[in-house]
Amino acid sequence: YESLSGSTVGDLKNNVCIGYQTMYNTQEVSNSVALGMKAMKGGSGLINAENNTAVGASSMLSLETGNNNTAVGSNSLGNITTGSNNVAMGDNAGNNLNIHTYSINIGSGCNPAGNSNTAIGYQAGYNVQSNDNTMVGNRAMYCSGAVATGESNVAIGSMALSSLTSGNYNTALGNNAMRTTTTGNNNVVIGYNSNASGNYSTVIGSLACRTSNADTADTLTAVGYQAGYYDVDGWNNTYLGPYTGQTSTDTNTYKNSTAIGNGAKITGNDQVVLGKGAEVCYMPNINGTPTVVQLSPSYWNLTFTTAYSLSETHGHDLVIELTSISSGATFTMYNPSYRPGVRITIINSTSNTCAVVSDGGNGFKTFGWQDANQTRSSFDVGANSDAWSLISLGNIWYGDRLSYDQT
């Protein structure tokens, strides 16, 4: 009833219109289908368009010159006027599109405004007014209470990036991934309830960086279940392994620290923490090249040898650089055994005094230090250029563990 009744003389060909006032205001329309009450009725001007399909009451209600659009569902693409090459499926889907192009909106209330957006899911991209975003999932990038202007974001999962306002170039994969982030940029977050609130962070794992909520929490790397969970506002930190990060009672802000291994926890800035304290760190000699280690903790264990890696007859199999050492520091060799041609070099960056080397209670008494041709059991550590070799008297020895304790 009243289909085409408001039309003027024009070129109308290859069209199908079924329903009250379908294609009501048309002038030149071709290769189009309007099905449902007021489908493709036309807005304030006459429709001059082609290759459009509108199925559902008031779908493409305001169309004027847009081409190649598909709208399926009540009020879908209801406000489109000159926009082209859009697809909307679902009640009110794509209802915010007007002059926009190349967008796909599938789902009830799925209606971001902008160009080249893909939104799939109930109210996905609900308040988005920007371009080049991909939103898949229930209320993905929903942006409740604010208009989202961030561009080139990917949100896949229920409520992923649902609070974003101005952040750009983020990728959030997983239910609730980056749910509380508002202005962060250039983040990659993968995992259920994982988060990154600042910029340039990579977070992988369920609940990783979950409590991060500061805009300045930049450049975090967290990999593992609950990695960095309690890091609220730190930056430049790296967490590798499940449960790495800070303790639940530590509310301090840390930067430039690294925790590696299941449950490893940082307690300050500029730290490297390996494991939870009971582990032994093994660093082999590789093709005769010394392994260099910087030591700053008050206690540290190092496994430094295997039979096949200690066959070198020249050079140093391990170089240890001490960056913080107090007077009276003790080195202990555990389970010493004879191994020809093995040498450990200690380089100190301070000018403190180092005490005797202990044998760990194993009755090994010929353990000493060597500087040039002198051998002693204790010495004053000199400037950064001084190097000391840990050897035995007469023979070179090795152990399965080297302990450093400055307490």
Side-chain angles (χ1 to χ4, degrees):
Y1 176 69
E2 291 190 352
S3 294
L4 298 171
S5 61
S7 300
T8 63
V9 176
D11 187 8
L12 303 175
K13 59 183 180 181
N14 302 323
N15 299 301
V16 176
C17 50
I18 302 174
Y20 174 67
Q21 291 188 348
T22 53
M23 291 191 189
Y24 185 83
N25 294 321
T26 57
Q27 183 177 28
E28 294 187 6
V29 176
S30 61
N31 304 317
S32 295
V33 174
L35 177 60
M37 184 181 71
K38 295 184 180 181
M40 210 182 298
K41 176 184 177 182
S44 57
L46 298 174
I47 301 177
N48 291 273
E50 60 184 6
N51 303 321
N52 294 293
T53 300
V55 179
S58 298
S59 56
M60 274 192 241
L61 177 68
S62 303
L63 185 68
E64 294 178 6
T65 60
N67 302 313
N68 307 311
N69 296 295
T70 300
V72 179
S74 176
N75 297 311
S76 56
L77 289 181
N79 293 313
I80 198 80
T81 56
T82 61
S84 299
N85 301 292
N86 299 292
V87 175
M89 301 179 67
D91 177 51
N92 287 305
N95 216 16
N96 286 333
L97 294 177
N98 180 252
I99 61 174
H100 308 97
T101 59
Y102 304 108
S103 288
I104 299 174
N105 300 330
I106 301 176
S108 178
C110 175
N111 51 14
N115 300 309
S116 303
N117 291 307
T118 299
I120 302 174
Y122 173 69
Q123 291 188 342
Y126 186 78
N127 284 320
V128 170
Q129 294 185 13
S130 55
N131 306 315
D132 303 310
N133 298 292
T134 300
M135 302 147 282
V136 180
N138 172 48
R139 289 189 170 179
M141 213 165 159
Y142 174 72
C143 309
S144 175
V147 172
T149 59
E151 298 192 340
S152 302
N153 296 289
V154 176
I156 300 178
S158 178
M159 302 298 290
L161 276 174
S162 59
S163 299
L164 192 71
T165 56
S166 60
N168 303 305
Y169 311 112
N170 296 293
T171 299
L173 306 180
N175 289 353
N176 296 315
M178 292 186 73
R179 180 173 180 172
T180 61
T181 302
T182 57
T183 61
N185 300 285
N186 298 285
N187 298 293
V188 175
V189 175
I190 302 174
Y192 166 74
N193 259 328
S194 51
N195 197 32
S197 58
N199 308 296
Y200 314 112
S201 292
T202 301
V203 177
I204 301 174
S206 293
L207 300 171
C209 292
R210 176 68 185 91
T211 61
S212 177
N213 67 2
D215 294 342
T216 57
D218 298 336
T219 326
L220 297 172
T221 300
V223 179
Y225 177 69
Q226 290 193 12
Y229 186 99
Y230 296 106
D231 188 340
V232 175
D233 50 5
W235 66 93
N236 296 342
N237 296 314
T238 300
Y239 307 116
L240 303 179
Y243 305 105
T244 50
Q246 297 173 226
T247 65
S248 60
T249 58
D250 188 349
T251 60
N252 293 307
T253 299
Y254 299 131
K255 61 180 180 179
N256 305 320
S257 288
T258 300
I260 301 176
N262 186 358
K265 304 296 185 184
I266 62 172
T267 57
N269 300 323
D270 305 295
Q271 289 183 342
V272 176
V273 180
L274 303 179
K276 293 182 287 188
E279 295 87 347
V280 172
C281 179
Y282 172 64
M283 295 188 179
N285 179 304
I286 302 175
N287 297 326
T289 302
T291 302
V292 180
V293 182
Q294 289 189 330
L295 298 181
S296 59
S298 61
Y299 186 80
W300 192 74
N301 287 333
L302 173 70
T303 299
F304 61 89
T305 182
T306 59
Y308 69 84
S309 66
L310 293 177
S311 60
E312 299 295 324
T313 56
H314 302 287
H316 305 270
D317 292 274
L318 179 69
V319 178
I320 302 175
E321 181 180 358
L322 305 176
T323 59
S324 176
I325 182 172
S326 63
S327 299
T330 301
F331 290 87
T332 302
M333 177 81 74
Y334 290 89
N335 301 322
S337 300
Y338 174 70
R339 176 70 60 181
V342 178
R343 177 169 293 183
I344 306 168
T345 297
I346 310 293
I347 303 173
N348 192 19
S349 302
T350 68
S351 59
N352 296 316
T353 301
C354 183
V356 299
V357 177
S358 169
D359 66 354
N362 290 284
F364 181 47
K365 300 301 183 182
T366 58
F367 204 42
W369 299 90
Q370 177 175 290
D371 175 28
N373 295 320
Q374 302 179 32
T375 302
R376 63 190 80 178
S377 60
S378 64
F379 61 91
D380 293 335
V381 179
N384 198 29
S385 59
D386 293 338
W388 301 80
S389 296
L390 186 62
I391 65 171
S392 67
L393 298 179
N395 293 317
I396 306 296
W397 293 74
Y398 80 98
D400 65 4
R401 205 155 41 99
L402 181 65
S403 165
Y404 160 59
D405 189 352
Q406 68 175 23
T407 61

